[in-house]
Amino acid sequence: MILAGAGAHCDAQQRPPVWVASWGASQQIPEPQNAMAADDLRNATVRQIFHLSVGGQALRVHVSNAFGTEALHFNSVHIARPISPSTSAIDPATDRALTFAGSSDVTVPPGTEYVSDALDYPVAPLSDLAVTFHIDEPPATQTGHPGSRATSYFAHGDSVAASDLPDAKHVDHWYQVSGIDVLTPSGAATIVALGDSITDGHGAITNGNDRWTDVLAQRLQASPNTRNIGVSNQGIGGNHLLTDGLGPNALARFDRDVLAPAGVRWMILFEGVNDLGGPARGGEVTPSEHAALVRRILSAYQQIILRAHAHGLRVFGATITPYAGADYYHPGPLNEVDRQAVNTWIRAAGHFDAVVDFDNVMRDPQHPDRLLPAFDCGDHLHPSPAGYRAMGEAVQLSLFAQ
């Protein structure tokens, strides 16, 4: 018995490292105005820059064809350390080719993603990583993340290892890359933030990495107790709980965006404002229709909690922030009644494992149905960079006690 106990203690001290998601973005079919022209993706090199959360000694990259209708062939995929998030230049000494099952190229079937082989490549927390790929033929249907708030570069020809792409065109969207995992010591884990444009970062600074999830990642890295925790932002601008808006609805994308990322232990659910705002956008509806919408939103929350708990995740509910005065939705008094009803349910005991009260942080005390002016980007719906910082600072790090 003593030997068995000693062995168990030894095993506990020598547990192997684990993979965790250090960066992620929800995938969708880019809207026509956000899709790349097919000719731009013919014999094309695409270089994109991603901001990591937690660091590690090795990494692997997810290339995605989640919404493709035909197989997509990547001739090569490289990684490197970028000179700046605002330029296509990389440090050529850090350039490395990724492999997939030992091969430098990979053909990804439609509706799927492929994870590269692990590569020994130390990356620091909160650092940037450039991922560059070359494809001969454009995807029949593109897969991407339009709300990148980051600049991507593309040029004709195979230049995956080039130190710079001086003649490249650029767009502020991401394409065909869905995640980056890092290998970290045992005990590490990841937080998934499932949300809409306020999680995606509408109103944040392009290449500024100042979404509320970025602020949370910075705070996690600043504390010795939470430095092994990553953050995966799975927000989609315009997303809904109940219907397909921009991107699949939250319930439809739950398995891919919440359960699939490596090492997920917690999720923060911050969805619902686009569902709540809908009734006022096309003209007011009856009080009974408002009440029915609230019931459906709460039912969707319950479904997400149930599914997350079934996989051992702790689920934190974020209250819906104010949006009175928003030109997009033109909300009236009944919309505010709905928002208060939803937030009351979120705050009530017995539903979520804990509450992140964004409403309390962001509202104007003098006009609680409105954002505090200092936290308003100007459209009365989305936060300013100062607002995103306040949100990121409002998440209690004690929620992620190991």
Side-chain angles (χ1 to χ4, degrees):
M1 294 294 293
I2 294 175
L3 290 175
H9 177 74
C10 181
D11 289 343
Q13 296 299 315
Q14 299 176 3
R15 288 179 296 179
V18 296
W19 289 101
V20 299
S22 181
W23 172 87
S26 303
Q27 302 299 292
Q28 64 180 93
I29 300 173
E31 306 83 31
Q33 70 273 20
N34 295 325
M36 290 177 66
D39 283 345
D40 286 334
L41 286 175
R42 185 168 284 108
N43 182 24
T45 293
V46 180
R47 177 167 291 168
Q48 305 176 94
I49 299 172
F50 307 106
H51 189 64
L52 305 180
S53 54
V54 66
Q57 293 303 304
L59 59 75
R60 59 192 188 188
V61 173
H62 298 237
V63 293
S64 181
N65 192 25
F67 292 90
T69 54
E70 299 176 2
L72 178 61
H73 182 232
F74 292 82
N75 298 96
S76 57
V77 184
H78 282 218
I79 60 169
R81 292 190 173 91
I83 299 301
S84 160
S86 303
T87 176
S88 64
I90 61 168
D91 177 359
T94 66
D95 179 76
R96 299 289 186 276
L98 296 178
T99 59
F100 297 81
S103 176
S104 61
D105 71 325
V106 62
T107 299
V108 183
T112 66
E113 69 175 26
Y114 265 39
V115 184
S116 73
D117 300 333
L119 178 68
D120 288 335
Y121 193 97
V123 287
L126 306 178
S127 63
D128 295 323
L129 184 75
V131 178
T132 309
F133 64 78
H134 176 261
I135 54 177
D136 283 327
E137 296 295 332
T141 301
Q142 293 172 28
T143 293
H145 186 85
S148 66
R149 276 90 208 177
T151 305
S152 301
Y153 306 87
F154 57 99
H156 288 302
D158 187 348
S159 304
V160 290
S163 62
D164 200 359
L165 303 174
D167 298 323
K169 299 179 182 179
H170 59 86
V171 291
D172 292 336
H173 312 300
W174 285 317
Y175 302 93
Q176 315 294 159
V177 178
S178 58
I180 300 171
D181 304 333
V182 297
L183 191 63
T184 56
S186 177
T190 287
I191 305 160
V192 162
L194 185 69
D196 48 43
S197 57
I198 304 179
T199 295
D200 203 16
H202 184 99
I205 298 170
T206 299
N207 299 318
N209 297 309
D210 56 359
R211 311 162 190 83
W212 70 261
T213 53
D214 295 315
V215 176
L216 174 59
Q218 294 163 11
R219 293 178 60 226
L220 291 166
Q221 289 303 314
S223 171
N225 297 325
T226 55
R227 285 177 183 162
N228 60 347
I229 296 176
V231 179
S232 179
N233 185 323
Q234 299 291 334
I236 293 180
N239 200 232
H240 294 71
L241 282 164
L242 302 172
T243 57
D244 290 349
L246 298 182
N249 68 76
L251 289 169
R253 65 190 183 95
F254 180 84
D255 287 5
R256 180 176 61 247
D257 292 350
V258 176
L259 299 183
V264 177
R265 190 174 298 168
W266 310 275
M267 72 167 294
I268 300 173
L269 176 61
F270 184 35
E271 283 253 19
V273 69
N274 293 316
D275 299 88
L276 289 170
R281 189 155 191 259
E284 194 52 273
V285 299
T286 65
S288 63
E289 289 176 286
H290 276 274
L293 174 63
V294 169
R295 288 194 298 271
R296 292 182 63 216
I297 288 172
L298 301 184
S299 176
Y301 286 161
Q302 289 173 313
Q303 286 293 305
I304 290 173
I305 294 168
L306 180 68
R307 291 166 67 179
H309 282 171
H311 290 269
L313 275 61
R314 288 178 56 80
V315 191
F316 308 137
T319 50
I320 306 301
T321 48
Y323 62 104
D327 290 337
Y328 187 76
Y329 283 126
H330 308 286
L334 290 178
N335 293 90
E336 179 62 11
V337 171
D338 295 346
R339 188 179 74 89
Q340 293 294 344
V342 168
N343 282 348
T344 296
W345 190 92
I346 291 172
R347 294 185 180 109
H351 298 146
F352 288 99
D353 296 309
V355 177
V356 179
D357 204 340
F358 286 151
D359 170 48
N360 183 55
V361 172
M362 300 296 289
R363 68 190 179 212
D364 183 346
Q366 303 303 315
H367 306 281
D369 62 342
R370 293 176 176 264
L371 290 171
L372 191 71
F375 293 164
D376 187 344
C377 80
D379 66 4
H380 312 305
L381 173 62
H382 298 96
S384 63
Y388 283 126
R389 175 152 295 280
M391 291 174 66
E393 292 174 346
V395 182
Q396 297 181 5
L397 299 189
S398 59
L399 295 175
F400 313 109
Q402 298 292 299

